[in-house]
Amino acid sequence: MKVTFISNFLTHHQVPFCLEMQKKLGSNFKFVSTMKIFQWRLAMGFKDLDQEYDFVVRAYENEESYLEAKKLALESDIVIIGSTTDDLIQERLKQDKITFRYRARIFIFPDGFFKTIFDKEKMQLFYNRHIRYRKNKNLYLLTCNGYGANDFNFFGLYPNKIYKWGYFLETTHYDIEQLLQKKEANEKTEIVWVARFINWKHPEVVLKLAQNLKRQGYNFHIKMLGAGKLESSIREKVKKENLEDVVEVVGQVPSDQVHYYMEDANIFIGTSDSREGWGVVVNEAMNASCTVIANQKMGSVPFLIKHKENGLMYSSYQQLENSVKLVINNKDLRNMLSKNAYHTITQDWSAEVAANNLYALFEHILDGKDFNIIEGPASKASNYQRQKHLL
């Protein structure tokens, strides 16, 4: 079996899965990168991973590499294509060869639908990617967003061919009891928030939470990790509202050091709204055995979180606050959620499990057989209904 993954450029979210696929397929697995990494990502400390792995074909580098990429796109048994140009797979689609699109949602931003239908160029792109070949028997979808199936099913696209997917970081295995003992030794309940300081990540919600918890006499401390245009205003508000004793704006932290903060934290809060395509920090927090309390609008949450089993979801600010207070007050609940979160990532949503499941799905499709995984990566994705009353 030859498998080719095509995307803009290799990211640290994709590397663990690619390495697992390389273990299975050796030189029969390739990652085709169609463009150089963005300069702003390099400025933020991300590495140019295209240069570090021998399974990467840099189609942008020269004519020889482009022709190799084009051949792989046409001749591979399976092709997975993410958010990049379709140039390489046009002939493949015409021949109805097995192809998986890799997508979060159709219109992730609230005004996306209107910006698409009233923009000729965007509408043409949408048509080319999702409508033109909708009758292809061998065209499937991997959705890395809990609401992706809702969007595509609404338009009747990829009928019964939408599968759960996501981002997979390198899994860290801990002595879970020892890690929880370390967390419980904290003098205060340690809460961590990790995101860019931009409007749809809602850092202002963290300050509102801090104000209310402090006023009510809770013993806690919040660390905010990240950078962005709202960082300076958040720092000013922390001072202005006398929150310096309970909120520390740490700022930008290298991606390979974030897990140290999570290992120390009791609680992780995810406050992004529906514009969060996935939210890999949820994976990372669960792996580090944090009690995760996250907005159910985040793309990863419907796939990763089972409410009151391995984390808590919220749909309003008051539910967020109540959930934080609940787990601060209830150590047994906190530890149960933390343990289950860790087991979810290490046993059900690791890169190894994802590669095994997807490989098995590929085998069954190639053999013309039905295949159904009940839970986890490569299981069938169905519509997700948001819940209003979560506590």
PDB file of all heavy atoms in Angstrom, residues 6 18 26 35 60 62 74 88 93 172 189 220 267 274 279 289 291 309 353:
ATOM      1  N   ILE A   6      -0.837  15.097   1.458  1.00  0.00           N
ATOM      2  CA  ILE A   6      -0.498  16.377   0.826  1.00  0.00           C
ATOM      3  C   ILE A   6      -1.044  17.521   1.671  1.00  0.00           C
ATOM      4  O   ILE A   6      -2.226  17.540   2.027  1.00  0.00           O
ATOM      5  CB  ILE A   6      -1.087  16.479  -0.595  1.00  0.00           C
ATOM      6  CG1 ILE A   6      -0.649  15.285  -1.446  1.00  0.00           C
ATOM      7  CG2 ILE A   6      -0.662  17.785  -1.256  1.00  0.00           C
ATOM      8  CD1 ILE A   6      -1.329  15.228  -2.815  1.00  0.00           C
ATOM      9  N   CYS A  18       2.598  11.035  11.093  1.00  0.00           N
ATOM     10  CA  CYS A  18       3.425  10.688   9.927  1.00  0.00           C
ATOM     11  C   CYS A  18       4.494   9.670  10.290  1.00  0.00           C
ATOM     12  O   CYS A  18       4.769   8.737   9.520  1.00  0.00           O
ATOM     13  CB  CYS A  18       4.064  11.948   9.344  1.00  0.00           C
ATOM     14  SG  CYS A  18       2.899  13.062   8.520  1.00  0.00           S
ATOM     15  N   GLY A  26       7.060   2.369   5.662  1.00  0.00           N
ATOM     16  CA  GLY A  26       8.420   2.662   5.216  1.00  0.00           C
ATOM     17  C   GLY A  26       8.427   3.699   4.110  1.00  0.00           C
ATOM     18  O   GLY A  26       7.757   4.730   4.200  1.00  0.00           O
ATOM     19  N   MET A  35       4.222  24.242  -0.037  1.00  0.00           N
ATOM     20  CA  MET A  35       4.703  25.612   0.113  1.00  0.00           C
ATOM     21  C   MET A  35       5.636  25.711   1.313  1.00  0.00           C
ATOM     22  O   MET A  35       5.623  24.860   2.205  1.00  0.00           O
ATOM     23  CB  MET A  35       3.523  26.586   0.297  1.00  0.00           C
ATOM     24  CG  MET A  35       2.696  26.314   1.546  1.00  0.00           C
ATOM     25  SD  MET A  35       1.198  27.340   1.652  1.00  0.00           S
ATOM     26  CE  MET A  35       1.921  28.960   1.840  1.00  0.00           C
ATOM     27  N   TYR A  60       7.600  22.463  -3.765  1.00  0.00           N
ATOM     28  CA  TYR A  60       7.896  23.860  -4.102  1.00  0.00           C
ATOM     29  C   TYR A  60       9.376  24.105  -4.392  1.00  0.00           C
ATOM     30  O   TYR A  60       9.757  25.171  -4.879  1.00  0.00           O
ATOM     31  CB  TYR A  60       7.463  24.782  -2.948  1.00  0.00           C
ATOM     32  CG  TYR A  60       8.084  24.415  -1.617  1.00  0.00           C
ATOM     33  CD1 TYR A  60       9.369  24.824  -1.267  1.00  0.00           C
ATOM     34  CD2 TYR A  60       7.375  23.640  -0.700  1.00  0.00           C
ATOM     35  CE1 TYR A  60       9.941  24.471  -0.054  1.00  0.00           C
ATOM     36  CE2 TYR A  60       7.935  23.284   0.524  1.00  0.00           C
ATOM     37  CZ  TYR A  60       9.214  23.705   0.844  1.00  0.00           C
ATOM     38  OH  TYR A  60       9.781  23.351   2.042  1.00  0.00           O
ATOM     39  N   ASN A  62      11.840  22.545  -6.409  1.00  0.00           N
ATOM     40  CA  ASN A  62      12.352  22.560  -7.781  1.00  0.00           C
ATOM     41  C   ASN A  62      11.445  21.706  -8.671  1.00  0.00           C
ATOM     42  O   ASN A  62      10.511  21.047  -8.186  1.00  0.00           O
ATOM     43  CB  ASN A  62      13.804  22.053  -7.846  1.00  0.00           C
ATOM     44  CG  ASN A  62      13.975  20.703  -7.159  1.00  0.00           C
ATOM     45  OD1 ASN A  62      13.225  19.763  -7.434  1.00  0.00           O
ATOM     46  ND2 ASN A  62      14.968  20.599  -6.287  1.00  0.00           N
ATOM     47  N   LEU A  74      -0.913  10.987  -8.181  1.00  0.00           N
ATOM     48  CA  LEU A  74      -1.709  10.216  -9.140  1.00  0.00           C
ATOM     49  C   LEU A  74      -1.635   8.719  -8.879  1.00  0.00           C
ATOM     50  O   LEU A  74      -2.649   8.017  -8.972  1.00  0.00           O
ATOM     51  CB  LEU A  74      -1.232  10.509 -10.564  1.00  0.00           C
ATOM     52  CG  LEU A  74      -1.967   9.749 -11.685  1.00  0.00           C
ATOM     53  CD1 LEU A  74      -3.456  10.094 -11.675  1.00  0.00           C
ATOM     54  CD2 LEU A  74      -1.335  10.042 -13.034  1.00  0.00           C
ATOM     55  N   LEU A  88      -2.410  19.165  -7.673  1.00  0.00           N
ATOM     56  CA  LEU A  88      -1.762  17.865  -7.749  1.00  0.00           C
ATOM     57  C   LEU A  88      -2.742  16.699  -7.873  1.00  0.00           C
ATOM     58  O   LEU A  88      -2.365  15.628  -8.346  1.00  0.00           O
ATOM     59  CB  LEU A  88      -0.870  17.652  -6.515  1.00  0.00           C
ATOM     60  CG  LEU A  88       0.377  18.542  -6.410  1.00  0.00           C
ATOM     61  CD1 LEU A  88       1.044  18.360  -5.064  1.00  0.00           C
ATOM     62  CD2 LEU A  88       1.353  18.219  -7.534  1.00  0.00           C
ATOM     63  N   LEU A  93      -8.734  12.830  -9.076  1.00  0.00           N
ATOM     64  CA  LEU A  93     -10.171  12.967  -8.856  1.00  0.00           C
ATOM     65  C   LEU A  93     -10.952  12.575 -10.106  1.00  0.00           C
ATOM     66  O   LEU A  93     -12.006  11.941 -10.022  1.00  0.00           O
ATOM     67  CB  LEU A  93     -10.505  14.394  -8.440  1.00  0.00           C
ATOM     68  CG  LEU A  93      -9.994  14.829  -7.061  1.00  0.00           C
ATOM     69  CD1 LEU A  93     -10.212  16.325  -6.849  1.00  0.00           C
ATOM     70  CD2 LEU A  93     -10.677  14.034  -5.946  1.00  0.00           C
ATOM     71  N   THR A 172       3.054  11.572  25.775  1.00  0.00           N
ATOM     72  CA  THR A 172       3.966  11.370  26.900  1.00  0.00           C
ATOM     73  C   THR A 172       3.305  10.423  27.887  1.00  0.00           C
ATOM     74  O   THR A 172       2.133  10.603  28.243  1.00  0.00           O
ATOM     75  CB  THR A 172       4.271  12.705  27.605  1.00  0.00           C
ATOM     76  OG1 THR A 172       4.828  13.624  26.649  1.00  0.00           O
ATOM     77  CG2 THR A 172       5.259  12.501  28.746  1.00  0.00           C
ATOM     78  N   THR A 189      -4.847  25.971  43.980  1.00  0.00           N
ATOM     79  CA  THR A 189      -5.292  25.277  42.778  1.00  0.00           C
ATOM     80  C   THR A 189      -4.719  26.003  41.572  1.00  0.00           C
ATOM     81  O   THR A 189      -5.008  27.178  41.339  1.00  0.00           O
ATOM     82  CB  THR A 189      -6.834  25.254  42.689  1.00  0.00           C
ATOM     83  OG1 THR A 189      -7.364  24.590  43.847  1.00  0.00           O
ATOM     84  CG2 THR A 189      -7.279  24.515  41.430  1.00  0.00           C
ATOM     85  N   PHE A 220      -6.537  30.092  44.503  1.00  0.00           N
ATOM     86  CA  PHE A 220      -6.190  29.636  43.157  1.00  0.00           C
ATOM     87  C   PHE A 220      -5.131  30.556  42.552  1.00  0.00           C
ATOM     88  O   PHE A 220      -4.853  31.647  43.051  1.00  0.00           O
ATOM     89  CB  PHE A 220      -7.437  29.640  42.255  1.00  0.00           C
ATOM     90  CG  PHE A 220      -7.890  31.032  41.898  1.00  0.00           C
ATOM     91  CD1 PHE A 220      -7.540  31.608  40.684  1.00  0.00           C
ATOM     92  CD2 PHE A 220      -8.634  31.793  42.797  1.00  0.00           C
ATOM     93  CE1 PHE A 220      -7.921  32.904  40.363  1.00  0.00           C
ATOM     94  CE2 PHE A 220      -9.033  33.089  42.488  1.00  0.00           C
ATOM     95  CZ  PHE A 220      -8.678  33.643  41.270  1.00  0.00           C
ATOM     96  N   ILE A 267      -5.926  22.338  36.708  1.00  0.00           N
ATOM     97  CA  ILE A 267      -7.044  22.589  35.795  1.00  0.00           C
ATOM     98  C   ILE A 267      -6.538  23.289  34.541  1.00  0.00           C
ATOM     99  O   ILE A 267      -5.703  24.191  34.624  1.00  0.00           O
ATOM    100  CB  ILE A 267      -8.113  23.469  36.478  1.00  0.00           C
ATOM    101  CG1 ILE A 267      -8.684  22.786  37.723  1.00  0.00           C
ATOM    102  CG2 ILE A 267      -9.245  23.816  35.505  1.00  0.00           C
ATOM    103  CD1 ILE A 267      -9.547  23.701  38.575  1.00  0.00           C
ATOM    104  N   SER A 274     -16.269  28.941  18.420  1.00  0.00           N
ATOM    105  CA  SER A 274     -16.395  27.990  17.315  1.00  0.00           C
ATOM    106  C   SER A 274     -15.390  28.220  16.191  1.00  0.00           C
ATOM    107  O   SER A 274     -15.272  27.389  15.282  1.00  0.00           O
ATOM    108  CB  SER A 274     -17.812  28.042  16.735  1.00  0.00           C
ATOM    109  OG  SER A 274     -18.124  29.342  16.287  1.00  0.00           O
ATOM    110  N   GLY A 279      -7.852  22.827  18.285  1.00  0.00           N
ATOM    111  CA  GLY A 279      -7.457  23.201  19.646  1.00  0.00           C
ATOM    112  C   GLY A 279      -6.600  22.120  20.257  1.00  0.00           C
ATOM    113  O   GLY A 279      -7.011  21.411  21.182  1.00  0.00           O
ATOM    114  N   SER A 289      -2.715  15.136  32.200  1.00  0.00           N
ATOM    115  CA  SER A 289      -3.625  14.817  33.295  1.00  0.00           C
ATOM    116  C   SER A 289      -4.171  16.047  34.005  1.00  0.00           C
ATOM    117  O   SER A 289      -4.330  16.056  35.220  1.00  0.00           O
ATOM    118  CB  SER A 289      -2.930  13.888  34.310  1.00  0.00           C
ATOM    119  OG  SER A 289      -3.882  13.246  35.117  1.00  0.00           O
ATOM    120  N   THR A 291      -7.433  18.493  34.699  1.00  0.00           N
ATOM    121  CA  THR A 291      -8.882  18.484  34.597  1.00  0.00           C
ATOM    122  C   THR A 291      -9.257  19.537  33.570  1.00  0.00           C
ATOM    123  O   THR A 291      -9.034  20.727  33.786  1.00  0.00           O
ATOM    124  CB  THR A 291      -9.545  18.812  35.948  1.00  0.00           C
ATOM    125  OG1 THR A 291      -9.185  17.812  36.905  1.00  0.00           O
ATOM    126  CG2 THR A 291     -11.055  18.860  35.807  1.00  0.00           C
ATOM    127  N   GLU A 309     -17.075  12.594  32.443  1.00  0.00           N
ATOM    128  CA  GLU A 309     -16.304  11.351  32.454  1.00  0.00           C
ATOM    129  C   GLU A 309     -14.806  11.619  32.388  1.00  0.00           C
ATOM    130  O   GLU A 309     -14.031  11.073  33.176  1.00  0.00           O
ATOM    131  CB  GLU A 309     -16.719  10.447  31.296  1.00  0.00           C
ATOM    132  CG  GLU A 309     -18.122   9.889  31.409  1.00  0.00           C
ATOM    133  CD  GLU A 309     -18.445   8.926  30.281  1.00  0.00           C
ATOM    134  OE1 GLU A 309     -17.505   8.245  29.796  1.00  0.00           O
ATOM    135  OE2 GLU A 309     -19.614   8.849  29.872  1.00  0.00           O
ATOM    136  N   VAL A 353      -2.600   5.068  17.748  1.00  0.00           N
ATOM    137  CA  VAL A 353      -3.961   4.556  17.554  1.00  0.00           C
ATOM    138  C   VAL A 353      -4.548   5.109  16.264  1.00  0.00           C
ATOM    139  O   VAL A 353      -5.189   4.395  15.492  1.00  0.00           O
ATOM    140  CB  VAL A 353      -4.854   4.919  18.765  1.00  0.00           C
ATOM    141  CG1 VAL A 353      -6.318   4.611  18.467  1.00  0.00           C
ATOM    142  CG2 VAL A 353      -4.400   4.167  20.005  1.00  0.00           C
TER     143      VAL A 353
END
